[in-house]
Amino acid sequence: MTIRPAELMDGDAVWAVLEPVIRGGETYTLAQDTSRTDALAYWFAENHEVFVAVDDDKIVGTYYLKANQPGGGAHVANSGYVTAPWATGRGVAQSMFDHSLQRAKERSFRAMQFNFVISSNERAVKLWQRNGFEIVGTLPGAFLHPNLGYVDAYVMFRNL
């Protein structure tokens, strides 16, 4: 698996990764009916540095890296990761995280924070905890899960 910067020509493949996750509505905060245009505009926002994970010449995941906040909070990184549903369990998320951590250090970020990790997304919570993140805050009932109803969201943090 290789991870490389995303290019404009990757739009269709990135959408193929994002769409099932957005439509599922279980792990990401974008509305389930978000259009392709709006989803790609969000993912490829001007302040996002976007990467794709490629396995056997197929994009199997994507992530972005950005400053969590402007100004006095710009030394803390933030990232969003999506693994294609057909590629789960193959280490894609871990590989993207490792890459993002290295890239964050290269960009002189001092810490990384995830602002809204859905508590029912146990795979993600465990992955981040295995990689040194702590739950520093719980937002009670902050996410409306399509099957479980209102569930908590976590703020997770680690120093770099």
Side-chain angles (χ1 to χ4, degrees):
M1 181 179 324
T2 60
I3 297 177
R4 63 167 174 77
E7 301 171 1
L8 285 178
M9 67 180 201
D10 294 325
D12 288 340
V14 168
W15 174 240
V17 171
L18 294 176
E19 183 181 24
V21 173
I22 292 169
R23 299 289 179 251
E26 296 180 359
T27 59
Y28 230 82
T29 60
L30 294 174
Q32 287 177 273
D33 63 352
T34 299
S35 71
R36 176 189 188 280
T37 300
D38 289 347
L40 291 177
Y42 168 79
W43 203 255
F44 285 92
E46 186 177 323
N47 63 335
H48 290 187
E49 184 178 17
V50 181
F51 295 87
V52 291
V54 181
D55 192 24
D56 291 329
D57 295 323
K58 187 170 188 170
I59 292 177
V60 294
T62 182
Y63 84 88
Y64 65 78
L65 178 69
K66 67 174 191 156
N68 191 49
Q69 300 292 330
H75 62 283
V76 178
N78 175 263
S79 286
Y81 309 82
V82 177
T83 299
W86 63 87
T88 58
R90 294 175 24 193
V92 176
Q94 182 68 57
S95 293
M96 290 191 298
F97 171 73
D98 292 343
H99 188 272
S100 70
L101 196 64
Q102 180 60 38
R103 184 66 188 129
K105 290 176 182 178
E106 290 169 1
R107 290 183 54 185
S108 300
F109 286 113
R110 299 181 53 157
M112 187 174 283
Q113 178 175 317
F114 301 143
N115 300 321
F116 209 86
V117 180
I118 310 307
S119 62
S120 59
N121 187 358
E122 294 176 6
R123 287 180 75 147
V125 173
K126 288 178 183 175
L127 174 65
W128 305 143
Q129 288 176 323
R130 273 196 317 269
N131 283 282
F133 281 82
E134 294 181 36
I135 296 171
V136 297
T138 299
L139 308 171
F143 182 74
L144 179 55
H145 189 283
N147 302 317
L148 303 175
Y150 292 99
V151 298
D152 296 346
Y154 300 136
V155 178
M156 300 185 77
F157 183 88
R158 74 162 273 186
N159 286 308
L160 301 182

